[in-house]
Amino acid sequence: MVVRLSRHRLLALFCGVLAALTLATPAIATPTQVGAVRSDAAAGWLARQLVDGERFEAVFGGVAYPDQGLTLDAVFAFAAGGVAEDFGARALAWVTRPDVRDGYLGDGVTEAYAGATAKLALAVAVRGGDSTDMGGVDLIARLRSLQSPGGRFTDRSAWGDFSNAFSQSFAILALDRTAHGVPAAAAGWLAGTRCPDGGFPLLPAQPVCVSDVDATAIAVQALRAAGRRADAAAGLRWLVSVQRADGGFTNADGVANANSTGLAAQALRDGGRSLAWARARVFLAGLQIGCAGPVADRGAVDFDGGLFDSSTATRATAQALLGLTGTGYARLSTTTATTGAPTLPCH
């Protein structure tokens, strides 16, 4: 049982916000967005999908495992949408529960994951909490302990190092909210991974540097937060150069989808590329289930516009919300958020 849980934790950490799970049989329904996009309805739909109103789960081999990463994506999405404040509070309370937290972060001694630690620290800060004392755990101190002299944040685990552009970027975004700020070496290391075309790879030090939309989207936000505007600008130019005519962005498999487009749109708006953001937003709006769709699906954002699949729509909706509102990770806050799970107004 311990081995299976560890493998799941590593898989969830590596996938993080990168990919949507495709585990359930698709229902027969297609995106039928009508009228203006409703980010509040998207957040409301996402909130109603939480198990017991507090968490998401991943199912492997018929067994449900906690999905802390996706649950934190929902926390960010609710903050971006400015609604479902009560759901966001319960979701973060669940992730920070000691058994759930340690199953995600590791024990901090023999096992510690940089990306998970940084993502949780950022979520706590977004919701106005204290990342230095989360149930007796100083997330910031633990995160800093995972930084190498060269500036890279890496995992400490017998299972290997799964750190990547998301780990580094979330670490920078989390530390940017602390009194000591971002270590120059950390921002410098991330900037140094940039590919010749201006984009950023998911994994560094590969034989061929291949820019990735998702990795570039979060890297430019982290670099902007750290004051590395020129490095971020190169990444933003690359994002604009690979945007499709319909406003969408493709993943590594070449599929235009809500996840990659949502992250890219967030980065574009945060980086001042308003026209490109508006085009991406139109693409995302076209994937939202509108009033012609089944009542239970209304407000959700479909992964790629094919047959609607709720198992992929949860992550797609969470990441699409970031792009629909355009609020960057560095500016997310729940200060003015309201409670409740809004529904799509249909007459």
Side-chain angles (χ1 to χ4, degrees):
M1 178 60 70
V2 172
V3 172
R4 293 183 66 184
L5 286 173
S6 296
R7 287 176 177 169
H8 165 65
R9 178 169 61 250
L10 293 176
L11 178 61
L13 173 62
F14 182 75
C15 293
V17 292
L18 299 178
L21 299 173
T22 53
L23 303 173
T25 302
I28 301 176
T30 56
T32 51
Q33 200 276 338
V34 178
V37 65
R38 293 295 298 262
S39 58
D40 58 343
W45 179 85
L46 185 65
R48 290 189 291 277
Q49 310 315 303
L50 288 165
V51 178
D52 295 334
E54 66 176 9
R55 69 186 184 276
F56 281 111
E57 297 175 340
V59 180
F60 294 96
V63 179
Y65 297 95
D67 193 336
Q68 296 95 326
L70 179 54
T71 304
L72 291 178
D73 285 338
V75 171
F76 293 135
F78 298 149
V83 296
E85 158 66 12
D86 43 343
F87 288 92
R90 288 196 293 270
L92 187 61
W94 174 77
V95 177
T96 55
R97 204 175 73 193
D99 58 324
V100 178
R101 177 198 65 206
D102 294 347
Y104 182 49
L105 306 183
D107 60 16
V109 181
T110 61
E111 211 176 6
Y113 301 102
T117 303
K119 192 172 183 178
L120 179 55
L122 178 60
V124 171
V126 165
R127 290 197 49 79
D130 182 3
S131 298
T132 66
D133 184 11
M134 188 45 56
V137 174
D138 187 336
L139 297 175
I140 300 303
R142 183 179 296 188
L143 180 59
R144 288 183 179 276
S145 76
L146 297 175
Q147 183 183 346
S148 70
R152 181 179 181 178
F153 291 89
T154 58
D155 299 334
R156 182 168 62 240
S157 171
W159 295 96
D161 177 22
F162 290 82
S163 62
N164 53 36
F166 280 82
S167 308
Q168 192 76 15
S169 298
F170 274 129
I172 290 171
L173 288 163
L175 292 174
D176 179 59
R177 295 189 181 231
T178 66
H180 291 94
V182 180
W189 185 88
L190 180 60
T193 66
R194 195 177 74 216
C195 296
D197 60 11
F200 289 80
L202 174 61
L203 299 172
Q206 298 300 300
V208 178
C209 191
V210 179
S211 295
D212 177 83
V213 169
D214 299 49
T216 300
I218 191 166
V220 299
Q221 293 187 64
L223 290 169
R224 281 177 55 81
R228 303 284 298 238
R229 297 300 179 95
D231 295 301
L236 289 167
R237 287 193 294 272
W238 180 80
L239 284 175
V240 172
S241 75
V242 298
Q243 187 173 26
R244 289 164 38 116
D246 61 4
F249 287 84
T250 61
N251 57 18
D253 295 326
V255 178
N257 65 91
N259 300 62
S260 296
T261 303
L263 292 174
Q266 179 191 32
L268 291 168
R269 174 70 186 284
D270 185 67
R273 271 57 173 183
S274 298
L275 180 58
W277 169 66
R279 293 174 57 217
R281 198 169 185 270
V282 168
F283 177 84
L284 293 171
L287 297 179
Q288 186 174 35
I289 307 299
C291 293
V295 173
D297 301 336
R298 292 174 185 172
V301 178
D302 186 61
F303 173 65
D304 61 1
L307 296 178
F308 183 75
D309 183 350
S310 60
S311 70
T312 61
T314 47
R315 184 170 277 108
T317 301
Q319 295 182 338
L321 261 162
L322 301 176
L324 288 171
T325 66
T327 304
Y329 280 114
R331 295 183 293 111
L332 285 177
S333 171
T334 59
T335 302
T336 61
T338 59
T339 59
T343 58
L344 194 68
C346 297
H347 304 288

